[in-house]
Amino acid sequence: MKLEHRTENNVDIVALPNRLVMANAAEARSDLKQVIQQGSGRVVINLSQTEFMDSSGLAVVVAGLQAARKMNGDVHLAHMSDTIRALFELTRLHTVFQIFDDEADAVAAFA
Amino acid sequence: MPEPDRTRDDAPNSGRVQRASMLTQTLQVLVIDDAPDVRIYVRALLRKWGYEAVLASNGAEGLERMRQGGIRLVICDWMMDGMSGPEVCAAIRREDFGHYVYVMLLTGRTEDTDLVYGLDSGADDFVGKPFDAQVLRARLQVGVRILGLEETLAEQNRRLQEHHDELDRAYTQIQNDLAAAARIQRESLPVSDDSIAPLCAGWLFLPAAKISGDSFHFFPVSQEEVGFYHLDVSGHGIPAALLSTSLSRSLVPHTGVGTPAGDYLVPADFLTTLNHELCSPDGEVTNYATVVYGVLDKYTGEGRLASAGHPQPMLLRSDGSVESLTAGGLPVGMFEAAQYEAQRFRLYPGDRLITYSDGITDCFNADGQAFDIDHFQSLLVRHRHCTAAEMAEELRRSVTAWRGETEFEDDISVLVIERQAD
C-alpha cells in the first residue's frame, strides 16, 4: 500500500485506506511518517475513503500527530465518517485533533 | 519354450552413454521377449550402452522379476505366448512398484489402432521390429529422461512434504503455546467474588484469538473499599495479550490482606502512573490501552472512578434505569501529558456497575449489524433481576448467538459488580 498523497500550499494531504486495521497499520504508519517527515509538518489526513478503523488504526493517526508535532506542525482531520467520529469520541481523541468537515477548510486552517 | 534366461549382465557401463544424473546406480532394464535371439541381442546392446540387462522370456516371469524391485525401465515384446505385451503393460500399471516404470513395446505392428491399444494399456513408447539399434538407444534415453523427471518430481514432493511436516509441527507448537498463554491469562482474571463480599460480581470473557488484549479484576484496597479495573490493550492476538497479561499482573496488588499504597485509592493518580509507564521514551505511541480504574466502598456503595479512553461504565439502577458515567481522559500510553479526573458515583442496594470493552458493542452479526450499546443496555435492563453472574451468562449467550459461527473479531469482556438488595 502506498498512501495517496499530494501537497497544497505547503500542506501535505494524505488519504487513508478504506480499512485501517491491525493487518495494514504498520505499513500505513511508516508511509504516513515518511510523508510527514519529508514535508512541512503541516498535515491534513483525509478520511473520506476510510470506513473502518480499529485500535491499531487509531494508533497510526496518533503517531502521525506525534510526528507532525515534533516538527512544530499539526495534523488536521477531514471528512470523518460517523463511525470513526464515534471511535474518536469514545477514546477522547477528538480533544487532541482539529477535525473539519471539509478538506479545503482543514488546509485553510493552517494559513 | 526355452529356459528363461535370467542371466544378469554384470559388466555394464561402457561409459559412452551419458546417464541422467539421478541414476546413481547402473539402470536395470528388463527385457521381456520369448525369442532367445532377440533377448541376447538386446542384452548385448544394453551392455554396450552402459545399462544392466535383466531378461525374462514371458510376461508372468517379467512381472515376478519386477516385484523383486529395482526395475524402472522395461522393453517388452508385443506378440508373446501367454500374456501379450499390452497385457503385461496393463498388469504393470495395476501394481504399485513404489515408483514409475517406463515401458517400451517392441512391435512389428504400425496400425494406428494397435498404437492406441498399446497406449491405452499403459505403454510409454514403441520401437518397431526389426529395430534400428540407434533408434532403440535414442528411445531408451527418452525413457531415462522421463524417469529422471519423475525422480526430480518425487524429490521435490518429498521436500515439500518435509516442509509441510515442519510447518505442521510449528503450527501445532504455536497452537500449544497459545493454549498455554491463554491458561496463564485466565489465571490473571478473577476466579470468584469472595474477596469483595458483600459485593457480588459476574463477568464475561470471550477472547478473539484464544488470547485477549482485554483484562479486568477486582480486589480489596482497604478494609472498606475494593478496587476494580477494566483494560483493553490496543490490537489483539499475542502482542496485545502479552502486554495485557503483564499489565494485569502489575495492576493487581499482591500485598494480600494489607493495604495497597497510594495510587490504588486515588483513581486519577492510578491512571496517571499507568500512562507514564506505558508512554514510550521517544514520544511515539507504541502500545496503548483504554482502561477504567475505580474504587468502591463495600458497605456504603460510594465509589469513584477514572477512565482513559474506555467505553463509559454504566450504572444499572434497581428500577431498570441506566446511567452512563464519565467519558474521562485519553487512552494510557499515547500522550505523556494526559490528565485524568475521577468521577464519584454511588451504588444503592440492588444497583450494578457495568464496565466493558468495545468488543461487545462492535460485535457484528452475519448481516453486518453491530450488537451496539442500545441492544446491550436493553439486555442489561431485561435481566436486571438476575444475579451478576447470571446476567453475565445471559450476555454471553446473546452475544455468542449474535455472532453465529464465526470467530470474534475483537475481544469481548464485561464486568458486572453488584451491591445486593437489602
Side-chain angles (χ1 to χ4, degrees):
Chain A
M1 169 182 54
K2 271 283 167 225
L3 298 178
E4 267 177 55
H5 165 232
R6 65 195 166 83
T7 307
E8 201 174 287
N9 294 335
N10 207 22
V11 174
D12 289 299
I13 302 166
V14 186
L16 291 183
N18 177 261
R19 282 171 63 83
L20 188 58
V21 293
M22 194 154 68
N24 61 358
E27 201 182 350
R29 176 194 281 235
S30 106
D31 287 1
L32 179 62
K33 273 178 66 183
Q34 197 181 351
V35 165
I36 293 172
Q37 284 163 355
Q38 288 170 357
S40 62
R42 297 190 290 183
V43 185
V44 169
I45 294 180
N46 184 325
L47 296 164
S48 57
Q49 298 167 35
T50 312
E51 285 170 18
F52 184 77
M53 199 186 275
D54 69 1
S55 57
S56 311
L58 212 52
V60 172
V61 181
V62 172
L65 179 77
Q66 289 165 335
R69 293 215 172 141
K70 262 188 198 165
M71 301 165 69
N72 297 315
D74 202 358
V75 170
H76 293 175
L77 304 176
H79 298 288
M80 188 181 262
S81 73
D82 290 347
T83 319
I84 293 175
R85 184 177 288 273
L87 180 66
F88 272 71
E89 286 174 3
L90 169 72
T91 51
R92 318 303 295 159
L93 282 168
H94 66 300
T95 61
V96 294
F97 285 94
Q98 289 200 58
I99 300 169
F100 299 84
D101 289 338
D102 193 61
E103 185 188 284
D105 294 342
V107 174
F110 277 115
Chain B
M1 283 281 281
E3 270 297 296
D5 186 346
R6 291 178 146 277
T7 315
R8 280 235 191 144
D9 191 335
D10 288 323
N13 216 337
S14 67
R16 273 182 288 167
V17 174
Q18 185 153 15
R19 298 294 181 78
S21 59
M22 53 99 188
L23 301 165
T24 48
Q25 291 175 323
T26 307
L27 187 67
Q28 290 184 2
V29 180
L30 174 66
V31 182
I32 308 174
D33 202 308
D34 55 359
D37 56 332
V38 176
R39 288 202 298 273
I40 286 158
Y41 175 54
V42 174
R43 180 177 66 183
L45 290 174
L46 288 172
R47 178 190 289 177
K48 193 167 105 188
W49 298 330
Y51 298 97
E52 182 179 329
V54 180
L55 307 183
S57 59
N58 60 55
E61 189 197 327
L63 284 166
E64 193 46 48
R65 174 59 191 85
M66 288 181 69
R67 290 182 195 115
Q68 294 166 27
I71 304 292
R72 302 183 56 196
L73 219 157
V74 174
I75 300 171
C76 184
D77 192 19
W78 184 300
M79 296 287 286
M80 292 186 292
D81 286 342
M83 295 173 88
S84 71
E87 282 167 354
V88 174
C89 278
I92 289 173
R93 296 298 173 229
R94 277 195 300 271
E95 282 195 43
D96 179 12
F97 295 102
H99 53 76
Y100 191 69
V101 178
Y102 190 88
V103 184
M104 294 163 61
L105 285 179
L106 285 178
T107 174
R109 302 172 174 228
T110 51
E111 296 288 334
D112 281 349
T113 49
D114 289 335
L115 292 182
V116 169
Y117 174 52
L119 288 169
D120 279 350
S121 65
D124 294 292
D125 200 2
F126 301 90
V127 179
K129 270 202 310 196
F131 53 80
D132 177 332
Q134 288 314 307
V135 170
L136 179 62
R137 191 184 67 81
R139 291 246 158 115
L140 273 169
Q141 280 182 321
V142 170
V144 171
R145 268 207 307 277
I146 286 177
L147 289 175
L149 288 175
E150 192 248 346
E151 188 152 294
T152 309
L153 210 60
E155 173 64 16
Q156 280 171 351
N157 276 337
R158 196 184 56 73
R159 280 195 209 147
L160 277 176
Q161 188 62 45
E162 269 177 23
H163 286 305
H164 181 267
D165 292 348
E166 242 170 70
L167 283 176
D168 241 20
R169 279 192 295 275
Y171 183 74
T172 308
Q173 180 71 52
I174 289 169
Q175 289 299 314
N176 292 342
D177 289 354
L178 277 175
R183 269 199 307 281
I184 293 169
Q185 191 175 35
R186 273 193 297 273
E187 283 164 12
S188 69
L189 294 175
V191 284
S192 93
D193 56 4
D194 294 347
S195 67
I196 59 166
L199 298 174
C200 295
W203 54 90
L204 166 69
F205 177 68
L206 299 166
K210 267 193 184 161
I211 49 178
S212 166
D214 287 7
S215 79
F216 51 86
H217 217 313
F218 44 78
F219 34 78
V221 292
S222 71
Q223 290 296 329
E224 297 80 26
E225 287 182 317
V226 300
F228 56 88
Y229 71 84
H230 204 133
L231 179 82
D232 178 358
V233 173
S234 116
H236 38 87
I238 298 173
L242 280 174
L243 182 59
S244 174
T245 305
S246 89
L247 275 178
S248 49
R249 296 202 153 195
S250 70
L251 293 183
V252 178
H254 295 285
T255 45
V257 210
T259 310
D263 288 354
Y264 277 105
L265 301 174
V266 188
D269 292 355
F270 186 94
L271 294 190
T272 304
T273 306
L274 189 56
N275 184 45
H276 288 304
E277 279 170 14
L278 275 185
C279 278
S280 78
D282 67 2
E284 186 181 319
V285 58
T286 44
N287 295 304
Y288 75 91
T290 68
V291 58
V292 163
Y293 177 76
V295 291
L296 177 60
D297 189 303
K298 295 189 278 189
Y299 305 107
T300 66
E302 283 177 54
R304 52 199 183 278
L305 64 77
S307 169
H310 204 74
Q312 292 162 261
M314 294 181 286
L315 296 177
L316 173 63
R317 300 298 185 191
S318 57
D319 65 0
S321 61
V322 178
E323 297 166 28
S324 286
L325 290 176
T326 183
L330 294 164
V332 288
M334 280 185 169
F335 301 97
E336 194 74 51
Q339 295 191 336
Y340 303 97
E341 273 178 48
Q343 183 189 12
R344 295 189 170 274
F345 64 94
R346 182 150 185 188
L347 278 189
Y348 295 96
D351 290 353
R352 290 93 194 273
L353 170 72
I354 291 118
T355 62
Y356 62 101
S357 68
D358 59 359
I360 188 163
T361 45
D362 286 352
C363 176
F364 291 91
N365 67 8
D367 298 331
Q369 275 182 295
F371 196 79
D372 87 27
I373 186 74
D374 295 337
H375 185 189
F376 183 27
Q377 286 184 352
S378 70
L379 280 169
L380 294 174
V381 173
R382 191 189 312 160
H383 298 295
R384 68 183 183 279
H385 300 299
C386 301
T387 66
E390 287 164 355
M391 186 179 268
E393 176 56 23
E394 291 297 339
L395 286 172
R396 191 195 61 76
R397 206 170 297 163
S398 296
V399 75
T400 309
W402 183 265
R403 185 61 183 168
E405 296 295 302
T406 31
E407 273 195 12
F408 292 106
E409 273 184 273
D410 195 4
D411 310 319
I412 289 176
S413 59
V414 179
L415 173 63
V416 182
I417 297 178
E418 176 186 5
R419 185 177 176 203
Q420 286 181 286
D422 293 328

